[in-house]
Amino acid sequence: MRNLFWDTRILDNRAKEEFLLPSEILMENAARGMAEFLTQRFSLDSKILIVCGNGDNGGDCLALARMLIGKYALKVFLPLGVKSHLAKTQLKCLQACDSSIFFSSLEESDLSSFNLIIDGIFGIGFKGEFSPQMQNLITLLNHTKAIKIACDIPSGIDLYGNPQFLNSTPFAFKADFTLTMGALKNALFSDYAKDFVGEVHCMELGISESLFAPNSTFKLLESRDFKAPRREFQNCNKGSFGHLSIFGGEKSGASVLSALAGLRIGAGLVSLIHHSPPSNLPYEIMHSPSLPTNTTAIALGMGFGRDNFLPLKSLQNFPNTPILLDADIFYHRDFKTLIQTFSNLILTPHPKEFSVILKALENKDLTTDSIQKNRICLAQEFSLQHPNTTLVLKGANSLIAKNGEIYLNPLGSNALAKGGSGDVLAGIIAGFLAQNYPSLQSCIQGVLAHSLCARNFLQKNADFSLSPLDLITQIRYL
């Protein structure tokens, strides 16, 4: 798990004030980190184009160019000139080393021979819109076959992780690698940024990341954070691992998928709660018309139906039992009552469902698009206003919000964009809940398990072929 920050320029200032590292040294270390990354991965016969902006992001890349002279065939393009003091200094140093490497203008024909293109046009502080000149330049760079590397953040992605939008289409420099400076930024892990950042690597600036980037309320989850359920004692029985109760409804397939996932992740008992058992109920899933008295976790909403009768009185007999809410229940007339009644709730909406939740609980009218552009801030604000809930906001980079803390999961895959994947996720999280995991840990471990199952499947199979049952099968290999 690693710390994330909105704006690392604050950390730069701290490094200067507390660790006495001037901006010049920070820039040299940024360039040195990028140079080492390149020399370790790309052969010395590579031809590299570095496109530098007029600010400190461009200054980082001018310093990089100086370090690469004599190692690679190198060209530098300055479409905006230079403005910042550091960039001007780095330009003078580069010119003193080799004044022949600069392009005065850049045409499409100039780009075909480059193996690598490095984007240092705009940094994390980018605001506003692209000029026609910049739009054309980035379009030109994106269309090349070269490997593309962004310095700090792909040009066009702003502080909140939002790209430019051209005719409603996201647009920015499309990197294969992003080499970010000092610490990881929230913006790199927004849903919209996922198609532009490629692999993200953090370059140290002369001090370790743990010292440069202190504790943050924003965390990036890593695969090593996943801890599979462990059965440590032999003297146990099925009741030792909890009883998960899942409400059925109009579409039994969704609740059955959740039940199978909960059982596979380790719940000792799983019951489907419905007035009559569905014809497709697997043998290993029990059926009950009402909540069993030994229920340790409840899941509600998957295929339940938006107008189906909800037995609130029955639920109120389990006031301290954790309840996971998903899908149809967010549209249900009793949803607000559930939020007001129970003290340990997990909500697992996708962005459209989150807009319904915000309307029901806070009377906010937000489109799905506006939620996607502000998902981290909105999730954090929601978690502070509703401390009895743990929110899992699904997406390209699903996030978990609890009492103002945010955990971002970058391990998800487009293979999960299939009907039923969310039902499996709900079942996995609820399976952890049933085994007495705290709500936050159930969500963290459940989200990671879900993503890692997809990743394991994709090692041998096509991304478009993943089914919910494939995900459930993969749980056994975690």
Side-chain angles (χ1 to χ4, degrees), residues 132-170:
Q133 175 196 9
M134 286 298 102
Q135 181 182 323
N136 292 337
L137 174 60
I138 290 178
T139 299
L140 193 64
L141 298 176
N142 283 346
H143 285 168
T144 66
K145 295 181 180 179
I147 294 172
K148 301 173 190 67
I149 298 174
C151 172
D152 204 34
I153 191 168
S155 289
I157 304 291
D158 67 15
L159 183 68
Y160 299 99
N162 295 316
Q164 298 286 290
F165 286 86
L166 304 179
N167 298 320
S168 300
T169 301

Side-chain angles (χ1 to χ4, degrees), residues 242-429:
H243 190 161
L244 171 60
S245 294
I246 297 178
F247 278 82
E250 292 179 358
K251 298 177 181 178
S252 61
S255 52
V256 167
L257 286 173
S258 296
L260 287 171
L263 187 70
R264 185 60 61 86
I265 202 65
L269 297 162
V270 180
S271 292
L272 187 70
I273 312 305
H274 199 258
H275 54 79
S276 60
S279 59
N280 62 344
L281 188 67
Y283 295 128
E284 59 266 44
I285 305 301
M286 299 184 295
H287 166 260
S288 176
S290 59
L291 281 167
T293 56
N294 62 344
T295 294
T296 57
I298 298 167
L300 170 61
M302 301 75 67
F304 184 74
R306 299 182 181 184
D307 299 311
N308 216 15
F309 171 72
L310 180 63
L312 278 172
K313 289 186 177 180
S314 176
L315 285 169
Q316 287 168 353
N317 292 326
F318 297 82
N320 299 315
T321 302
I323 303 176
L324 182 145
L325 303 178
D326 186 43
D328 288 345
I329 201 64
F330 302 132
Y331 298 85
H332 199 279
R333 60 184 176 274
D334 292 324
F335 170 64
K336 193 170 183 178
T337 302
L338 289 170
I339 296 293
Q340 295 169 341
T341 303
F342 295 94
S343 60
N344 189 359
L345 296 171
I346 291 175
L347 315 183
T348 59
H350 56 58
K352 172 59 179 175
E353 291 166 347
F354 191 44
S355 72
V356 173
I357 291 171
L358 291 174
K359 177 62 177 177
L361 301 184
E362 301 176 15
N363 200 29
K364 291 181 179 177
D365 284 307
L366 295 177
T367 64
T368 301
D369 183 58
S370 63
I371 286 173
Q372 287 297 84
K373 289 178 179 177
N374 300 280
R375 56 190 277 118
I376 298 175
C377 293
L378 287 169
Q380 184 179 43
E381 181 182 310
F382 179 87
S383 71
L384 289 169
Q385 293 183 1
H386 302 278
N388 63 325
T389 67
T390 305
L391 173 69
V392 177
L393 182 54
K394 294 181 283 195
N397 286 333
S398 293
L399 60 82
I400 301 158
K402 177 70 173 179
N403 294 329
E405 293 189 338
I406 300 290
Y407 300 82
L408 280 159
N409 171 40
L411 304 177
S413 163
N414 56 9
L416 291 166
K418 281 280 183 77
S421 290
D423 303 316
V424 173
L425 174 62
I428 292 174
I429 295 173

Side-chain angles (χ1 to χ4, degrees), residues 69-342:
I69 289 175
K71 297 179 180 179
Y72 293 94
L74 190 68
K75 285 290 184 181
V76 174
F77 182 49
L78 297 164
L80 302 171
V82 292
K83 287 185 179 179
S84 79
H85 169 72
L86 290 175
K88 289 178 179 178
T89 300
Q90 293 293 350
L91 178 59
K92 290 178 182 178
C93 294
L94 180 58
Q95 288 171 329
C97 294
D98 188 347
S99 61
S100 68
I101 64 172
F102 296 93
F103 271 131
S104 58
S105 62
L106 193 61
E107 303 295 335
E108 185 174 0
S109 58
D110 297 323
L111 295 173
S112 59
S113 64
F114 287 105
N115 307 109
L116 299 171
I117 293 175
I118 299 174
D119 160 37
I121 306 172
F122 300 110
I124 192 69
F126 176 77
K127 297 178 182 178
E129 298 180 356
F130 281 137
S131 67
Q133 175 196 9
M134 286 298 102
Q135 181 182 323
N136 292 337
L137 174 60
I138 290 178
T139 299
L140 193 64
L141 298 176
N142 283 346
H143 285 168
T144 66
K145 295 181 180 179
I147 294 172
K148 301 173 190 67
I149 298 174
C151 172
D152 204 34
I153 191 168
S155 289
I157 304 291
D158 67 15
L159 183 68
Y160 299 99
N162 295 316
Q164 298 286 290
F165 286 86
L166 304 179
N167 298 320
S168 300
T169 301
F171 178 79
F173 181 80
K174 193 172 179 63
D176 298 294
F177 300 93
T178 294
L179 310 183
T180 199
M181 305 308 163
L184 298 172
K185 290 117 178 122
N186 287 339
L188 297 171
F189 301 99
S190 74
D191 275 18
Y192 278 125
K194 190 157 188 168
D195 283 320
F196 296 97
V197 298
E199 288 185 21
V200 178
H201 298 265
C202 187
M203 307 291 103
E204 291 188 349
L205 297 179
I207 49 177
S208 69
E209 182 183 345
S210 61
L211 188 61
F212 180 81
N215 195 37
S216 171
T217 55
F218 303 97
K219 304 290 185 182
L220 183 72
L221 298 177
E222 301 175 284
S223 57
R224 64 184 177 181
D225 294 318
F226 174 68
K227 310 296 180 189
R230 291 287 181 263
R231 297 193 167 194
E232 298 178 353
F233 301 103
Q234 297 298 328
N235 182 24
C236 61
N237 59 67
K238 57 183 178 285
S240 304
F241 304 103
H243 190 161
L244 171 60
S245 294
I246 297 178
F247 278 82
E250 292 179 358
K251 298 177 181 178
S252 61
S255 52
V256 167
L257 286 173
S258 296
L260 287 171
L263 187 70
R264 185 60 61 86
I265 202 65
L269 297 162
V270 180
S271 292
L272 187 70
I273 312 305
H274 199 258
H275 54 79
S276 60
S279 59
N280 62 344
L281 188 67
Y283 295 128
E284 59 266 44
I285 305 301
M286 299 184 295
H287 166 260
S288 176
S290 59
L291 281 167
T293 56
N294 62 344
T295 294
T296 57
I298 298 167
L300 170 61
M302 301 75 67
F304 184 74
R306 299 182 181 184
D307 299 311
N308 216 15
F309 171 72
L310 180 63
L312 278 172
K313 289 186 177 180
S314 176
L315 285 169
Q316 287 168 353
N317 292 326
F318 297 82
N320 299 315
T321 302
I323 303 176
L324 182 145
L325 303 178
D326 186 43
D328 288 345
I329 201 64
F330 302 132
Y331 298 85
H332 199 279
R333 60 184 176 274
D334 292 324
F335 170 64
K336 193 170 183 178
T337 302
L338 289 170
I339 296 293
Q340 295 169 341
T341 303
F342 295 94

